[in-house]
Amino acid sequence: MRRKRTDKPEPTIALINVVFLMLVFFLVAGTIARPPDTAVQLVRTADLDPAQPPDALVIHPDGTLYYRGAVLSDVTDYLTRADRLPAAPVRLVPDRDLSAARLIAIGARLQQAGAEQVVIVTQRADP
């Protein structure tokens, strides 16, 4: 005994309607940014020298602090050695293997010691 084949064609019209509605939704909901002024030349950071700032506080993975090549005992030692204005930001250059908890603790100690602004210097990833 043979079965009759009763396969109906797939409803592709419904699929096309759903895709079209999604396209219209994203066109309406999305914002289109205006192009920048053509007379303005944007800064290229790819050509910059990746050297760390000379006044930066370098933190190694084990938490050892270095300032201008010298080992520091604590963050207060950095604040007394650095020739900086009180309102000048403290630049931290942490090693990528430094734990986040240790980095946050060092930043908190800097603020407790009188640093008004703490900036973390990072390296931009290549696209």
Side-chain angles (χ1 to χ4, degrees):
M1 187 156 85
R2 284 189 159 172
R3 289 187 178 176
K4 282 188 176 181
R5 196 169 206 188
T6 59
D7 291 336
K8 294 182 182 178
E10 292 185 25
T12 56
I13 297 296
L15 181 63
I16 292 171
N17 286 342
V18 169
V19 171
F20 180 70
L21 287 173
M22 287 176 54
L23 176 68
V24 170
F25 171 76
F26 286 114
L27 283 175
V28 171
T31 59
I32 299 174
R34 293 184 181 174
D37 188 4
T38 56
V40 175
Q41 295 282 331
L42 297 177
V43 176
R44 292 184 45 108
T45 59
D47 300 332
L48 293 177
D49 182 22
Q52 66 190 17
D55 61 340
L57 178 61
V58 180
I59 309 169
H60 285 237
D62 61 353
T64 308
L65 305 171
Y66 288 87
Y67 177 66
R68 294 185 178 169
V71 180
L72 301 178
S73 60
D74 195 13
V75 294
T76 55
D77 193 19
Y78 165 75
L79 294 174
T80 57
R81 284 189 187 193
D83 300 328
R84 55 185 278 289
L85 299 172
V90 174
R91 290 181 176 81
L92 296 179
V93 181
D95 188 275
R96 75 177 57 201
D97 293 330
L98 181 71
S99 70
R102 185 169 255 170
L103 179 62
I104 291 171
I106 291 172
R109 280 190 280 155
L110 281 165
Q111 287 184 332
Q112 288 172 352
E116 292 182 16
Q117 186 179 12
V118 178
V119 177
I120 299 173
V121 180
T122 62
Q123 181 179 7
R124 177 180 232 168
D126 292 331

